[in-house]
């Protein structure tokens, strides 16, 4: 089955391809990813909904939009977004080192001329990172485009573990959205 992914995320594309969907990537441009909400869960949902309104629907294939944010382990009302450079990535990884944090993903699924939204969280524990591991993670550039500065399915896999929830939620698609998508064709 064809699925349109309104995202440039290679990780989201891989999740869908691993489930044997034919993925058509159609990234969004110029979406306002700011939010005035107080809770990270509501911020991520609002941004996902903004992305949905920016999608140009031109096919009967299901469309997926998604947004992922991490809660700051020091203040759950603050979101750790994507680092803009290697210094910011190092600071985020240092903050997460040896600690647990919550990852929120909101996913919108467009089918039958309507959007349905899914909001989920998972808990990830990052092992204490030595200075060398921290340097290696930053130099790997696996932090680029990743909320919190890491990719659980990339180099960070050796230094973190999923404690609660779904790996797909951490990687960028709410698991309930995948279940809903599968139910459309008994996939």
């Amino acid at each position: 089955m064809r699925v349109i992914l309104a995202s440039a995320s290679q990780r989201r594309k891989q999740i869908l391809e691993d489930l044997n969907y034919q993925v058509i990537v159609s990234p969004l441009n110029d979406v306002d990813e700011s939010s005035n909400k107080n809770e990270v869960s509501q911020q991520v949902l609002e941004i996902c909904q903004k992305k949905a309104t920016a999608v140009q629907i031109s096919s009967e294939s299901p469309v997926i939009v998604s947004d992922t944010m991490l809660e700051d382990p020091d203040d759950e009302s603050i979101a750790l977004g994507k680092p803009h450079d290697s210094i910011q990535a190092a600071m985020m990884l240092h903050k997460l080192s040896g600690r647990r944090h919550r990852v929120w993903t909101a996913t919108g699924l467009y089918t039958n001329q309507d959007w349905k939204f899914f909001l989920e969280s998972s808990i990830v524990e990052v092992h204490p990172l030595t200075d060398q591991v921290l340097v290696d993670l930053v130099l790997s550039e696996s932090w680029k485009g990743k909320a919190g500065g890491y990719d659980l399915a990339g180099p960070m896999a050796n230094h973190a573990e999923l404690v609660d929830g779904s790996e797909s939620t951490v990687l960028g698609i709410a698991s309930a959205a995948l279940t809903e998508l599968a139910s459309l064709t008994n996939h």
Side-chain angles (χ1 to χ4, degrees):
M1 176 167 99
R2 279 182 37 164
V3 175
I4 297 169
L5 176 62
S7 169
S9 167
Q10 287 300 309
R11 198 55 73 200
R12 290 182 182 120
K13 180 178 185 248
Q14 189 65 53
I15 291 169
L16 294 167
E17 287 177 342
D18 288 349
L19 295 171
N20 296 314
Y21 292 107
Q22 178 189 357
V23 182
I24 309 301
V25 176
S26 181
L28 298 170
N29 296 319
D30 300 325
V31 176
D32 174 17
E33 293 194 28
S34 63
S35 174
N36 294 323
K37 305 290 185 186
N38 292 329
E39 296 177 28
V40 175
S41 62
Q42 295 309 302
Q43 292 172 31
V44 75
L45 180 59
E46 179 182 24
I47 293 166
C48 183
Q49 290 168 336
K50 285 180 181 182
K51 289 179 177 182
T53 61
V55 171
Q56 302 280 328
I57 306 294
S58 61
S59 169
E60 291 193 23
S61 297
V63 179
I64 292 178
V65 295
S66 211
D67 197 65
T68 301
M69 290 183 170
L70 278 68
E71 283 182 3
D72 185 317
D74 294 326
D75 184 346
E76 62 187 39
S77 68
I78 296 175
L80 293 181
K82 299 172 190 171
H84 299 292
D85 56 32
S86 60
I87 293 170
Q88 197 174 34
M91 289 172 55
M92 285 183 185
L93 292 171
H94 185 265
K95 178 179 276 236
L96 297 173
S97 177
R99 304 175 77 185
R100 289 183 178 189
H101 61 278
R102 185 173 298 276
V103 180
W104 287 96
T105 291
T107 302
L109 177 61
Y110 181 85
T111 59
N112 302 319
Q113 285 112 38
D114 196 24
W115 283 100
K116 186 171 184 180
F117 293 93
F118 304 86
L119 178 65
E120 293 180 355
S121 70
S122 294
I123 306 229
V124 174
E125 183 172 336
V126 176
H127 305 151
L129 303 174
T130 65
D131 289 344
Q132 187 59 53
V133 167
L134 189 61
V135 167
D136 291 345
L137 287 170
V138 172
L139 290 177
S140 77
E141 297 190 344
S142 61
W143 54 268
K144 288 188 174 182
K146 304 291 189 290
Y150 73 88
D151 178 2
L152 190 62
M156 183 60 100
N158 297 319
H159 308 288
E161 61 187 289
L162 181 66
V163 175
D164 184 46
S166 166
E167 183 176 6
S168 70
T169 298
V170 177
L171 297 177
I173 300 179
S175 61
L178 295 173
T179 301
E180 179 83 11
L181 184 61
S183 74
L184 298 175
T185 59
N186 296 321
H187 194 79

